[in-house]
Amino acid sequence: MVELNGNSRVYGIFGDPVSHSLSPLMQNMAMQSAGLDAIYVPFRVTPENLSAAVGGIRSMQLGGVNITLPHKQQVLPFLDRIDDDASLIGAVNTIVRCEDELVGFNTDGLGFIRSLSEDLVFDPARKKVLLLGAGGACRAAAVALLRSGVEELYIVNRSRERVDCLVERIAPTFSEQQIASYGLTDVGYLQALERADLVVNTTSIGLKGEAIDFCPLTKIKASASIYDMVYSPVETPFVAAARARGLEAADGIGMLAGQGEEAFFLWFGVRPENGLMKKCLQHICEKMNS
Ligand code: NDP
């Protein structure tokens, strides 16, 4: 345990609820391993207290915080500056305090791309990728995939209106790349599923062990990979079904570690020990399973 003193810097996470968050464990472990005089604390911040809590980053001189549900979108108006991609995504998961200025970033997309590379050895450049969902996590993944040079991006969501809004929002920034949106019953969705090199679950389905009944894995080509942003101590049903079909598949643990590593880098300007955050998360999952 780090020995706190008058100069120790304080970081943290704002969320409601926040008690389930794995970030304090992995961030504190990484700070300690890097020999930093810093600590990372969970703060339960209710929606009505968000503005005051963000003000507290300034008044109490916190180094920075992560932002989790339900505040990732609502926090934007309280910040001084927002990174271009976080602005395009419309959500912030990391705040950095530079003197009195609070700057918002979104590291979810970068964490996702890192995890694709590490867990599936998948490089999105010139590939065709299908995203299931159209929420905040999907927006972060879509922007990161397009920045990484994906050739065709298909986004499929239950609510057609929501996915159309998403595409309308991001398409002008990526006019050279093809982006298509589909509802769950569109024929075009099944055709896109057959073409995709990577299929990603960005919906919340699977958090409670539910299967995704609208994604027929038999349509997916044998060389394609599956990524499930949902993470849980046990194999998610989507990952289990994909592996049973012989497809390469990974869950969202690597993305959670990756977004944390990117936040750490924004705060401290150095990278945490390679693989440490992921090892920490895997260790917690093993403990929860035993
Ligand atoms: P949102 O609430 O913003 O979006 C949820 C999405 O899931 C929507 O597209 C919604 O569709 C869809 N959905 C939910 N239930 C169903 C259903 N029964 N049938 C079809 N579609 C459904 O959530 P987020 O985008 O913030 O998060 C999504 C998931 O990503 C969560 O599980 C979260 O834990 C995970 N995540 C993982 C991270 C990681 O580091 N691994 C980081 C961030 C998120 P509709 O629009 O029609 O309602």
Side-chain angles (χ1 to χ4, degrees):
M1 184 70 193
V2 65
E3 276 189 34
L4 295 177
N5 61 77
N7 291 314
S8 300
R9 285 172 291 168
V10 180
Y11 295 78
I13 180 165
F14 291 178
D16 182 25
V18 78
S19 56
H20 66 287
S21 175
L22 303 177
S23 292
L25 281 164
M26 68 175 187
Q27 290 289 354
N28 280 314
M29 189 171 272
M31 287 174 191
Q32 226 173 312
S33 145
L36 295 163
D37 183 8
I39 187 164
Y40 185 102
V41 185
F43 295 101
R44 179 171 171 238
V45 173
T46 56
E48 61 277 19
N49 285 325
L50 181 61
S51 163
V54 174
I57 302 172
R58 267 194 210 93
S59 57
M60 294 189 289
Q61 306 262 294
L62 305 190
V65 294
N66 281 134
I67 300 291
T68 189
L69 297 176
H71 305 313
K72 284 186 179 184
Q73 291 164 39
Q74 286 75 1
V75 79
L76 267 75
F78 305 124
L79 304 176
D80 302 307
R81 212 153 40 87
I82 296 158
D83 159 79
D84 286 349
D85 275 357
S87 197
L88 188 59
I89 294 163
V92 157
N93 80 333
T94 303
I95 299 175
V96 179
R97 183 180 65 80
C98 310
E99 300 299 331
D100 262 354
E101 193 184 45
L102 300 184
V103 189
F105 295 87
N106 191 311
T107 67
D108 282 337
L110 282 178
F112 169 59
I113 298 293
R114 280 176 69 103
S115 180
L116 287 184
S117 166
E118 285 173 14
D119 300 323
L120 291 174
V121 198
F122 185 89
D123 175 2
R126 294 177 297 282
K127 299 284 191 349
K128 298 174 176 58
V129 178
L130 186 144
L131 300 176
L132 299 167
C138 181
R139 280 210 300 269
V143 169
L145 285 166
L146 289 160
R147 288 261 181 254
S148 301
V150 80
E151 187 177 76
E152 291 180 26
L153 187 62
Y154 320 116
I155 312 180
V156 185
N157 194 47
R158 177 177 59 181
S159 150
R160 189 61 205 254
E161 200 187 334
R162 196 170 183 194
V163 69
D164 288 345
C165 280
L166 191 166
V167 173
E168 235 169 75
R169 184 182 175 110
I170 60 174
T173 307
F174 302 99
S175 52
E176 304 288 302
Q177 289 149 286
Q178 279 192 44
I179 312 173
S181 57
Y182 302 102
L184 297 184
T185 53
D186 293 351
V187 179
Y189 160 38
L190 295 181
Q191 291 165 345
L193 204 52
E194 286 169 353
R195 285 200 298 276
D197 302 302
L198 173 74
V199 176
V200 185
N201 174 35
T202 82
T203 75
S204 36
I205 306 172
L207 276 175
K208 297 179 191 131
E210 330 86 290
I212 302 178
D213 57 12
F214 53 82
C215 182
L217 291 174
T218 46
K219 294 268 176 203
I220 297 172
K221 59 188 181 193
S223 60
S225 301
I226 296 290
Y227 193 89
D228 192 350
M229 281 193 189
V230 171
Y231 50 87
S232 86
V234 290
E235 202 174 45
T236 67
F238 194 46
V239 166
R243 286 183 181 148
R245 250 219 85 210
L247 301 170
E248 282 292 319
D251 73 7
I253 285 281
M255 175 174 173
L256 185 64
Q259 63 76 32
E261 288 174 354
E262 295 298 328
F264 187 100
F265 182 67
L266 286 170
W267 292 326
F268 302 111
V270 291
R271 298 222 160 259
E273 186 186 319
N274 196 19
L276 181 73
M277 288 195 182
K278 194 162 159 201
K279 261 189 246 153
C280 172
L281 293 176
Q282 283 166 337
H283 179 68
I284 297 166
C285 287
E286 275 163 24
K287 262 176 72 180
M288 285 163 92
N289 264 337
S290 62

